[in-house]
């Protein structure tokens, strides 16, 4: 992993707006967890259950909340949000490799493509006609940038990313290996017993600062566009159907699936393995817990759940047996109620 320049805890605390407890002259060069940290490492404590580990750490410094500072045997950077401060510190100490402009000799670039001189085009990459690649963009090995695609400044396509025709990518977007953006959506019409494909002529538009994980797919719109708004974070192995709209700063965890034409608002969270039907309206600040099956719209903010948590097998078997008896129990109850009314 790339290392940044060494930095003193004093300078780092100033950068992060954290309160320094201890020797600000200590120099850190990398990040590490509390148990493996060495004197040149920066670590953090985000969960008080690990205080015992904190008390034994050999880190050069630790980012933590004020309530944990008295348990820290080494210099501490105290902040209200240790997790956020650590994220920023980690990027400071482990930055992305610098982008060196140029096109690898094995890349295939159409004559009509427009590539900024500061952009990097990796080996075995294909850039098709009329594509536009902006300043500071990194396109890693084996990527395909389809005809008419536009990639904004400082975006990164890590490796084997496929942008199908006409995809628009904002600035500072991060696309992880194997993701496919803009393939034709799953749209078919019945012709007797056969299926006939409906042409998908829309696009995909990704806003600024979007991140999309490995092997995730985002389908192009059938007529209009599929839109992932600025700041949205999409995990690995997610399917987003055609004409969906994902609002600003919404985050989705792995293995979720969103059917076509569903709109999700701003600042939502979708936990792992959530499934959503199509043509739904999900409002702002809506949060679905893991494995929720969403079959209707939820316009109001809140936390919503479904699914059955894991339990011991014997309990599950008994619960299923009772579930199979519900219909008979309901009929018996209705019979008793009818007899009661007749009296």
């Amino acid at each position: 992993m790339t290392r940044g320049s060494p930095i003193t805890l004093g300078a780092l605390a100033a950068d992060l707006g954290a309160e320094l407890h201890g020797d600000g002259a200590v120099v850190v060069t990398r990040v590490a967890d509390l148990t493996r940290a060495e004197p040149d490492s920066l670590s953090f404590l985000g969960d008080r259950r690990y205080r015992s580990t904190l008390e034994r750490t050999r880190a050069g410094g630790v980012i933590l909340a004020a309530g944990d500072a008295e348990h820290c045997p080494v210099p501490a950077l105290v902040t209200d949000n240790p997790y956020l401060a650590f994220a920023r510190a980690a990027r400071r100490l482990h930055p992305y490799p610098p982008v060196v402009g140029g096109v690898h000799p094995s890349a295939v670039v159409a004559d009509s493509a427009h590539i900024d001189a500061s952009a990097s085009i990796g080996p075995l990459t294909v850039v098709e006609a009329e594509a536009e690649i902006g300043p500071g963009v990194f396109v890693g090995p084996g990527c395909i940038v389809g005809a008419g695609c536009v990639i904004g400044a400082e975006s990164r396509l890590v490796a084997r990313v496929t942008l199908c025709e006409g995809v628009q990518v904002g600035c500072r977007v991060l696309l992880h290996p194997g993701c496919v953006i803009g393939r034709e959506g799953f749209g078919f019409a019945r012709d007797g017993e056969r299926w006939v494909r409906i042409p998908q002529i829309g696009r995909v538009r990704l806003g600024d600062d979007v991140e999309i994980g490995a092997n995730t797919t985002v389908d192009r719109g059938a007529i209009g566009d599929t839109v992932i708004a600025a700041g949205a974070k999409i995990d690995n192995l997610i399917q987003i159907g055609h004409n969906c709209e994902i609002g600003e700063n919404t985050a989705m965890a792995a293995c979720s699936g969103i059917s076509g034409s569903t709109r999700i608002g701003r600042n939502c969270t979708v936990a792992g393995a959530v499934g959503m039907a199509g043509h739904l309206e999900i409002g702002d600040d809506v949060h679905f817990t893991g494995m929720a099956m969403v079959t209707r719209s939820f316009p109001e903010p809140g936390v919503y759940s479904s699914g059955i948590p894991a339990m011991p097998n014997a309990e599950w078997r008994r619960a299923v047996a009772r579930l199979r008896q519900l219909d008979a129990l309901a009929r018996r109850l209705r019979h008793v109620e009818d007899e009661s009314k007749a009296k």
Side-chain angles (χ1 to χ4, degrees):
M1 182 174 290
T2 303
R3 295 273 188 97
S5 301
I7 187 172
T8 66
L9 292 181
L12 187 58
D15 286 351
L16 300 175
E19 179 182 328
L20 176 64
H21 292 195
D23 185 359
V26 172
V27 175
V28 291
T29 64
R30 62 193 179 96
V31 299
D33 63 45
L34 288 167
T35 58
R36 295 179 176 85
E38 299 292 335
D40 68 337
S41 304
L42 178 73
S43 193
F44 89 112
L45 178 71
D47 188 331
R48 293 180 179 178
R49 289 179 297 178
Y50 297 100
R51 273 183 178 171
S52 61
T53 304
L54 170 67
E55 292 168 354
R56 298 190 302 271
T57 190
R58 298 178 62 245
V62 179
I63 296 174
L64 42 67
D68 298 311
E70 64 180 297
H71 301 277
C72 186
V74 298
L77 281 69
V78 178
T79 175
D80 292 337
N81 191 336
Y83 204 57
L84 175 61
F86 183 74
R88 290 173 172 162
R91 181 54 65 212
R92 168 68 174 76
L93 290 167
H94 298 276
Y96 290 122
V99 175
V100 178
V103 178
H104 193 275
S106 66
V108 179
V109 179
D111 291 340
S112 59
H114 304 279
I115 301 174
D116 189 275
S118 64
S120 174
I121 309 300
L124 303 178
T125 282
V126 175
V127 182
E128 296 183 349
E130 305 297 332
E132 297 182 17
I133 298 177
V137 169
F138 175 84
V139 181
C143 293
I144 298 175
V145 180
C149 290
V150 177
I151 305 176
E154 299 181 25
S155 290
R156 298 180 65 87
L157 283 62
V158 177
R160 295 186 298 103
V161 172
T162 299
L163 302 183
C164 298
E165 181 181 359
V167 169
Q168 294 190 337
V169 176
C171 299
R172 301 174 302 280
V173 170
L174 178 57
L175 302 179
H176 288 280
C179 70
V180 178
I181 312 298
R183 75 120 198 177
E184 287 201 57
F186 193 71
F188 298 88
R190 271 288 196 181
D191 179 13
E193 295 182 352
R194 299 175 61 251
W195 293 102
V196 176
R197 170 166 282 283
I198 301 170
Q200 309 287 292
I201 59 175
R203 302 173 300 173
V204 173
R205 291 187 284 123
L206 307 181
D208 295 344
D209 302 301
V210 165
E211 181 169 336
I212 296 181
N215 295 327
T216 282
T217 60
V218 181
D219 292 349
R220 69 192 307 110
I223 299 176
D225 294 343
T226 301
V227 178
I228 313 295
K233 309 300 181 187
I234 313 296
D235 199 359
N236 304 332
L237 298 169
I238 288 177
Q239 157 68 16
I240 297 177
H242 56 195
N243 293 104
C244 286
E245 296 183 18
I246 311 298
E248 293 179 3
N249 301 315
T250 284
M252 299 175 57
C255 299
S256 294
I258 314 299
S259 299
S261 299
T262 284
R263 294 195 295 180
I264 301 175
R266 302 173 65 251
N267 300 315
C268 297
T269 55
V270 178
V274 168
M276 290 193 189
H279 302 273
L280 303 182
E281 296 286 339
I282 309 299
D284 297 340
D285 297 297
V286 172
H287 308 281
F288 294 106
T289 60
M291 297 189 70
M293 179 56 64
V294 185
T295 58
R296 66 177 179 86
S297 295
F298 288 87
E300 299 298 325
V303 178
Y304 302 93
S305 302
S306 69
I308 300 175
M311 63 182 73
N313 182 64
E315 293 181 22
W316 169 248
R317 292 168 67 90
R318 286 194 297 270
V320 170
R322 295 291 185 266
L323 186 64
R324 290 175 174 174
Q325 297 169 359
L326 284 178
D327 188 56
L329 289 171
R331 287 197 301 269
R332 288 168 58 189
L333 178 59
R334 184 175 300 171
H335 178 71
V336 170
E337 289 176 339
D338 290 342
E339 286 187 340
S340 178
K341 290 178 184 178
K343 294 179 181 178

